[in-house]
Amino acid sequence: MSTYGQFCPVAKAMELLDERWTLLVVRELLLGSTHFNDLRRGVPKMSPALLSKRLKSLTRAGVIERSEIDGRATYSLTPCGRELAGVVDALGAWGVRWIGDLGDEDLDPHLLFWDMRRTIPIDDWPRTRTTVAFILDGVAPKASRWWLVVADGQADVCDFDPGYDVTGTVETTLATLTRIWRGDVGWSHAVLDGTVALSGPAEVRRAIPKWLGQSLSAAIPRPA
């Protein structure tokens, strides 16, 4: 690990935390991921080898601990690591307010639907199994169809047809859905201006924006 050669606590902290991907791995652990494959879904462009390396360095630093449960490696934050929640939240809020531009390289349907799956308001969904299909324009055909299934209080996301009856459908671009999820634009505005098309019975079309909601960062105030 490189050093800054400074006694400043900020410099000492950044010797660990400013290695590429490190804080994003911490972010995933804060959001509830505990297994290697789940962590990979939250950082899909990070190589498995580098993820393993970062987990080892964070373990050595006392930020996370590794345990075995039923023969499966499980990662969790220590009290030291959980204290980084305020740091990650502050960086996220700052990024929402001041780093708003998104390029094509920032758009990833796998990451978007993984984030949606773990934070949608499941309590607002029907008690019976409910499937919402997504048709995305502007992406490769193999990444253009997605299904979000909620059943028994659990959400799952599929990039293949799970075979269930579709309750409603969302048609839009990946960029628009990402902007809605981030809170850059609201559901009602996107539906009214035609950048999002909702299909299904009238009550389902009205309910889909509530079922899906927006990310936690959507509530962060933007500059005027």
Side-chain angles (χ1 to χ4, degrees):
M1 186 184 300
S2 61
T3 69
Y4 288 107
Q6 295 188 14
F7 64 83
C8 168
V10 174
K12 297 306 294 180
M14 293 307 291
E15 287 174 2
L16 173 68
L17 299 177
D18 75 350
E19 287 191 302
R20 185 169 173 80
W21 297 104
T22 295
L23 270 181
L24 297 186
V25 173
V26 173
R27 177 200 67 190
E28 291 306 302
L29 289 162
L30 286 167
L31 288 171
S33 293
T34 58
H35 297 119
F36 192 88
N37 286 339
D38 289 341
L39 289 166
R40 283 206 65 205
R41 293 185 74 173
V43 284
K45 295 181 181 179
M46 185 181 189
S47 72
L50 185 54
L51 175 56
S52 180
K53 182 179 179 180
R54 291 292 182 266
L55 289 171
K56 289 176 181 177
S57 65
L58 287 168
T59 300
R60 287 195 301 269
V63 174
I64 67 176
E65 57 185 0
R66 182 185 184 277
S67 58
E68 294 269 346
I69 298 178
D70 296 329
R72 187 180 185 189
T74 300
Y75 300 92
S76 59
L77 291 164
T78 64
C80 164
R82 291 193 295 273
E83 198 169 311
L84 288 170
V87 176
V88 173
D89 288 345
L91 279 171
W94 185 85
V96 164
R97 288 196 294 268
W98 302 110
I99 312 293
D101 292 339
L102 291 177
D104 290 343
E105 69 279 5
D106 301 315
L107 305 177
D108 185 330
H110 299 85
L111 179 57
L112 174 61
F113 283 105
W114 176 246
D115 197 40
M116 292 174 70
R117 182 205 68 85
R118 63 187 174 189
T119 54
I120 58 171
I122 291 180
D123 289 344
D124 290 334
W125 287 63
R127 301 282 75 84
T128 56
R129 183 171 59 210
T130 304
T131 302
V132 174
F134 297 81
I135 302 174
L136 302 180
D137 292 330
V139 296
K142 64 180 182 180
S144 65
R145 299 294 299 269
W146 294 81
W147 291 261
L148 186 60
V149 182
V150 172
D152 301 322
Q154 300 291 325
D156 197 11
V157 63
C158 306
D159 58 359
F160 58 88
D161 189 344
Y164 303 132
D165 290 337
V166 171
T167 308
T169 303
V170 178
E171 295 185 60
T172 186
T173 65
L174 175 58
T176 296
L177 188 59
T178 301
R179 292 182 65 229
I180 292 172
W181 186 244
R182 278 171 39 107
D184 300 330
V185 64
W187 277 103
S188 58
H189 183 274
V191 171
L192 285 173
D193 70 12
T195 54
V196 170
L198 304 178
S199 303
E203 64 274 14
V204 170
R205 297 197 305 271
R206 290 192 297 267
I208 284 176
K210 183 180 179 183
W211 290 348
L212 299 178
Q214 293 175 293
S215 71
L216 300 177
S217 64
I220 297 170
R222 271 66 166 174

